[in-house]
């Protein structure tokens, strides 16, 4: 058995086309064009690529994009000042601070200063808390994108055993909440988890996001499982790979996301969906 590839690039293009249609309809109805402000601090190459891709997606979808590229020496106070300025700007619907930030800046403090209804990344504790109590406002982009992929491929998590490897605030924890809302039985694995291979082997739906190349071995995968690989790692030869041993895993899984072209495009599509939602909240 060779797994069906879950084409995140294709699904993301479909979602972006719907965003573009909604933006066009807003213009026809005399409503303002959604506006996303993106802040990049420093010159991390991967972050620069992500920011450029977000700008391109905004252009294709008709969303206005504001870019703030700050030097790595920017102080926390200066960055907070910019966030406050954008909070107060009625023409800005969404604010995104590209992570990671330089080590001298407290990322959590910055994220908590973004107004929850402008927090299009969905990282503010208010938004994570609303997700936990089944009242989502802004849903974290990558976990929501994963749920969109599952729905697009007819995978219903209800009653399934879902295992998440990685417990970060960006992916693992909110992904657990998303799957709980979908009525899956959820296990979250982390650095203190014992018998990881057994936990992975029990998963009907496996989501992996640890940032370690080929960390989850293909032989661990339950035959017929759905595998969502959130990781994206650049190897010494310049090629990209995920956190799951892809070649071996695809011979056991029923469906699997490739890297690249799986979850990554969905994160950007969801960001723009959130920006549109933020604009609707501001109307």
């Amino acid at each position: 058995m060779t797994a069906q590839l879950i084409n995140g690039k294709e699904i993301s293009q479909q979602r972006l086309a719907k965003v573009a249609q909604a933006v066009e309809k807003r213009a026809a109805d005399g409503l303002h064009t959604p506006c996303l402000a993106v802040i990049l601090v420093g010159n991390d190459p991967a972050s620069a690529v992500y920011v450029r891709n977000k700008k391109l997606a905004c252009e294709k979808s008709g969303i206005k994009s504001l870019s703030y590229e700050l030097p790595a020496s920017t102080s926390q106070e200066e960055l907070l000042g910019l966030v406050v300025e954008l909070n107060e700007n009625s023409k800005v619907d969404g604010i995104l601070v590209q992570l990671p930030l330089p080590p001298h800046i407290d990322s959590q403090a910055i994220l908590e200063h973004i107004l929850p209804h402008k927090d299009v990344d969905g990282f503010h504790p208010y938004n994570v808390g609303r997700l936990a109590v089944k009242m989502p406002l802004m849903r974290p982009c990558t976990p929501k994108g994963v749920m969109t992929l599952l729905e697009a491929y007819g995978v219903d998590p209800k009653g399934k055993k879902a295992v998440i490897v990685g417990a970060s605030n960006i992916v693992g924890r909110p992904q657990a909440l998303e799957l709980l809302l979908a009525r899956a039985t959820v296990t979250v694995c982390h650095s203190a988890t014992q018998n990881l291979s057994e936990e992975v082997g029990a998963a009907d739906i496996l989501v992996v996001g640890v940032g370690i190349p080929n960390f989850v071995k293909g032989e661990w995968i339950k035959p017929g499982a759905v595998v969502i690989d959130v990781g994206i790692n650049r190897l010494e030869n310049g090629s990209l790979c995920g956190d799951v041993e892809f070649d071996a895993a695809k011979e056991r899984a029923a469906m699997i996301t490739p890297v690249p072209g799986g979850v990554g495009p969905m994160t950007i599509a969801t960001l723009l969906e959130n920006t549109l939602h933020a604009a609707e909240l501001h109307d």
Side-chain angles (χ1 to χ4, degrees), residues 46-59 268 272:
S47 292
V49 170
Y50 293 146
V51 168
R52 183 168 67 248
N53 288 340
K54 290 165 185 174
K55 289 179 183 176
L56 291 173
C58 284
E59 290 175 8
I268 294 177
L272 269 59

Side-chain angles (χ1 to χ4, degrees), residues 158-175:
K158 182 179 179 181
K160 300 289 197 310
K161 171 73 170 179
V163 175
I164 301 166
V165 181
S168 71
N169 290 338
I170 294 174
V171 178
R173 294 171 192 267
Q175 189 68 71

Side-chain angles (χ1 to χ4, degrees), residues 30 41 49 51 65 73 83 104 120 130 167 180 216 237 250-251:
V41 183
V49 170
V51 168
S65 174
S73 59
V83 168
H104 67 277
V120 288
R130 287 189 65 107
L180 280 172
V216 170
N237 63 8
K250 70 182 175 64
E251 298 305 321

Side-chain angles (χ1 to χ4, degrees), residues 3-6 226-228 244-246 249-250 253-258:
Q4 178 183 5
L5 292 185
I6 297 176
V226 176
V227 178
I228 306 293
V244 177
E245 207 173 52
F246 180 80
K250 70 182 175 64
M255 299 181 186
I256 190 170
T257 56

